[in-house]
Amino acid sequence: MKNSKLAILLFICMAIVSCKPKIYSTNGETIYKTGKNIKGEKMLDKSASRITIVSSCITCHGKNGDRMNGLSIQFSSLSNPNNFTIPYNDSLVYRFLDDDLKSDGTKADIGVIWKMNDQDKKDLLDYLKTL
């Protein structure tokens, strides 16, 4: 009887711990991996996006930002003049997030539109610089 109570208690504790949401070290990492900021606000603008099943950047770009063939969103790649005629800088990344425009000003048309305040964009960019 004592062992079964202990087993039940252990099971309940494990269930509680496993249901606890993962906490990331920065707001930018939280946005990248969950699609929500640390306040829990969803960043995907479903009303403006054609692709609405995506929940976060990691869904397409992977853990290290380089999953998509030929397109890494690691800032070191985006800002490399060997990769882009007009390399991305901070303001061009923000413009991409706001207006879905590539570094050369043409429409990216990726089908996923994010809505972020200035701090969320800065935090996300700071995280991309760590990948």
Side-chain angles (χ1 to χ4, degrees):
M1 181 77 158
K2 187 176 180 181
N3 286 340
S4 64
K5 286 182 181 180
L6 182 61
I8 291 171
L9 180 61
L10 183 60
F11 175 76
I12 291 171
C13 289
M14 287 174 46
I16 290 171
V17 170
S18 67
C19 292
K20 184 179 178 183
K22 178 123 172 105
I23 297 174
Y24 298 99
S25 60
T26 65
N27 185 42
E29 182 181 16
T30 303
I31 293 168
Y32 185 83
K33 292 184 176 177
T34 70
K36 298 177 185 177
N37 63 16
I38 57 174
K39 297 176 187 174
E41 300 167 330
K42 292 182 180 180
M43 302 285 100
L44 179 65
D45 184 352
K46 286 192 174 190
S47 66
S49 298
R50 288 189 325 273
I51 302 170
T52 59
I53 59 170
V54 173
S55 60
S56 66
C57 306
I58 201 171
T59 304
C60 296
H61 295 286
K63 178 181 169 188
N64 298 314
D66 59 357
R67 180 190 299 161
M68 295 180 77
N69 291 336
L71 178 62
S72 168
I73 61 168
Q74 297 169 339
F75 191 74
S76 60
S77 177
L78 294 173
S79 61
N80 185 334
N82 294 322
N83 297 337
F84 296 93
T85 306
I86 301 173
Y88 284 86
N89 58 29
D90 291 13
S91 64
L92 291 177
V93 171
Y94 298 148
R95 183 181 74 175
F96 176 83
L97 292 170
D98 289 338
D99 302 320
D100 196 29
L101 297 176
K102 297 178 192 177
S103 62
D104 64 5
T106 60
K107 187 79 172 150
D109 200 26
I110 60 169
V112 179
I113 306 298
W114 304 98
K115 57 180 178 183
M116 297 181 204
N117 64 41
D118 290 342
Q119 187 61 54
D120 288 335
K121 287 184 280 194
K122 179 188 178 313
D123 293 344
L124 176 61
L125 180 56
D126 288 346
Y127 180 70
L128 294 179
K129 290 178 179 181
T130 69
L131 297 177

